[in-house]
């Protein structure tokens, strides 16, 4: 039985481990396979791939595409797609670009009440990468106003709060088709993680994504209750979809620990069979 954790982040998005640090941490956690799925970028793949042999950990290359349905943020994991697929690259670039405009607007609003600047926030974000609320949180924590990222999300960074601004992101149904067109395996991330959105994603939207080629559902995730996880497994079974579980590790940016949720080898094999690229083994 392999230990497979298919959803993690590095410093190329909002994680705090470099890709090589992540591979090292994966080895120390006894993982056999780790999935690197930074938000809207594959920039960390190369460095992670260079550490497969030294760490003995297999690398599942992926990304977590930001999508938006009405005012609800939807995260769509893509595995083993062509990283040069034009339209997918263009979509990620557009999202990264509008993330920057959006973060600037949020910082402008926040700076009326907290002593933070855009310069400070951008120093925490990956250069030319996706800037997100976690990087704004890092600047807020540095002022001493909040103890950690989570406290910022519970207060000033909450979507229902006065400082929140949306960014452009693709429709999840279009994005599902796009990932398939790029040879990727689209798996919806933590669909029941309600607290991070204004409203839960309606079942009808997930069903439209399934119609468009959705390959699987991330069921076991710390932001799901046991009932959420069971409901999503039932849905996956009904449509013969892949079932995954993951830590969604962000280094020190979140309490999530590597390997706290895993994906069964049988389900991992289904991802591998459907992807354009291969998993990199030691
Ligand atoms: P954004 O993409 O800018 O809207 O920010 C969302 C990101 O913030 C997600 O990818 C999460 O990793 C992160 N996030 C959400 N809630 C929390 C939290 N309570 N503590 C730390 N990070 C969080
Ligand atoms: Mn994140
Ligand atoms: Mn996510
Ligand atoms: Mn994630």
């Amino acid at each position: 039985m392999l230990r497979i954790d298919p959803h993690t982040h590095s410093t190329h998005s909002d994680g705090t481990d470099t890709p090589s640090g992540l591979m090292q941490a994966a080895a120390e956690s006894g993982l056999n396979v780790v999935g690197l799925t930074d938000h809207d970028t594959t920039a960390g793949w190369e460095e992670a791939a260079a550490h497969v042999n030294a760490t003995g950990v297999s690398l599942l290359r992926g990304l977590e595409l930001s999508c938006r349905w009405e005012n609800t943020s939807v995260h769509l994991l893509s595995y083993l797609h062509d990283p040069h697929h034009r339209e997918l690259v263009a979509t990620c670039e557009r999202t990264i670009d509008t993330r920057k405009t959006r973060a600037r607007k949020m910082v402008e609003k926040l700076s009326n009440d907290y002593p933070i600047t855009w310069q400070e926030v951008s120093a925490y974000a990956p250069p030319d990468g996706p800037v997100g609320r976690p990087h704004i949180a890092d600047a807020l924590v540095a002022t001493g106003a909040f103890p950690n990222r989570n406290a910022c999300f519970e207060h000033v960074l909450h979507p229902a709060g006065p400082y929140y601004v949306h960014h452009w992101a693709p429709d999840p149904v279009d994005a599902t088709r796009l990932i398939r067109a790029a040879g990727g395996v689209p798996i919806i991330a933590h669909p029941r993680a309600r607290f991070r959105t204004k409203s839960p994603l309606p079942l009808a939207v997930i069903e439209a994504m399934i119609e468009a080629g959705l390959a699987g559902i991330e069921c076991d995730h710390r932001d799901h209750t046991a009932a959420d996880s069971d409901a999503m497994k039932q849905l996956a079974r009904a449509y013969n979809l892949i079932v995954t579980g993951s830590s969604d590790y962000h280094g020190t940016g979140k309490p999530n620990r590597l390997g706290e949720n895993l994906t069964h080898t049988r389900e991992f094999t289904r991802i591998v069979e459907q992807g354009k690229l291969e998993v990199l083994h030691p």
Side-chain angles (χ1 to χ4, degrees):
M1 186 56 193
L2 298 175
R3 282 172 56 81
I4 303 163
D5 186 346
H7 175 177
T8 71
H9 297 266
S10 78
T11 45
H12 285 277
S13 63
D14 55 359
T16 60
D17 289 2
T18 59
S20 59
L22 171 71
M23 293 304 288
Q24 193 56 47
E28 282 159 17
S29 302
L31 294 182
N32 303 101
V33 182
V34 70
L36 174 59
T37 51
D38 278 311
H39 299 285
D40 309 312
T41 183
T42 59
W45 283 11
E46 204 178 317
E47 184 185 319
H51 289 79
V52 165
N53 279 330
T55 56
V57 177
S58 298
L59 177 66
L60 173 64
R61 291 167 289 177
L63 65 69
E64 185 175 15
L65 195 65
S66 308
C67 301
R68 183 173 152 195
W69 180 81
E70 296 193 345
N71 279 336
T72 298
S73 122
V74 181
H75 285 178
L76 186 55
L77 296 159
S78 172
Y79 291 108
L80 303 172
H81 60 269
D82 171 7
H84 306 297
H85 186 271
R86 274 188 197 211
E87 201 187 333
L88 184 53
V89 170
T91 298
C92 289
E93 282 173 355
R94 183 172 173 199
T95 299
I96 288 175
D97 194 54
T98 58
R99 274 180 167 284
K100 195 166 173 180
T101 319
R102 171 261 203 153
R104 277 179 178 273
K105 283 186 194 155
M106 285 188 69
V107 171
E108 202 177 299
K109 287 189 180 197
L110 282 158
S111 66
N112 293 321
D113 299 313
Y114 298 91
I116 60 166
T117 64
W118 169 246
Q119 207 180 3
E120 285 157 359
V121 170
S122 57
Y124 290 104
D128 305 318
V131 55
R133 284 178 288 161
H135 308 112
I136 302 176
D138 291 342
L140 288 165
V141 170
T143 69
F146 297 94
N148 51 42
R149 283 183 177 181
N150 185 53
C152 301
F153 273 87
E154 280 178 355
H155 300 279
V156 287
L157 298 179
H158 199 276
Y163 304 105
Y164 189 82
V165 176
H166 280 290
H167 61 81
W168 177 86
D171 172 85
V173 176
D174 295 342
T176 302
R177 276 191 213 102
L178 178 57
I179 288 167
R180 283 292 193 186
V185 186
I187 297 189
I188 187 170
H190 48 66
R192 291 283 185 107
R194 283 183 205 82
F195 68 85
R196 65 180 66 189
T197 56
K198 277 183 184 162
S199 49
L201 187 66
L203 181 62
V205 177
I206 303 181
E207 285 173 339
M209 292 170 75
I210 295 170
E211 190 77 20
L214 189 72
I217 303 179
E218 186 178 62
C219 299
D220 292 323
H221 186 283
R222 73 154 54 212
D223 298 343
H224 281 177
T225 62
D228 289 331
S229 171
D230 286 348
M232 290 301 99
K233 282 177 187 169
Q234 244 179 49
L235 181 65
R237 243 194 317 271
Y239 288 95
N240 191 28
L241 301 180
I242 301 168
V243 169
T244 67
S246 78
S247 66
D248 201 356
Y249 174 75
H250 281 67
T252 58
K254 278 183 158 185
N256 312 26
R257 293 300 91 199
L258 279 170
E260 67 176 31
N261 284 296
L262 297 168
T263 292
H264 196 284
T265 309
R266 174 188 67 230
E267 305 297 313
F268 170 65
T269 304
R270 294 176 72 187
I271 298 175
V272 177
E273 283 167 358
Q274 294 181 39
K276 181 182 173 85
L277 302 186
E278 313 216 301
V279 173
L280 301 176
H281 295 291

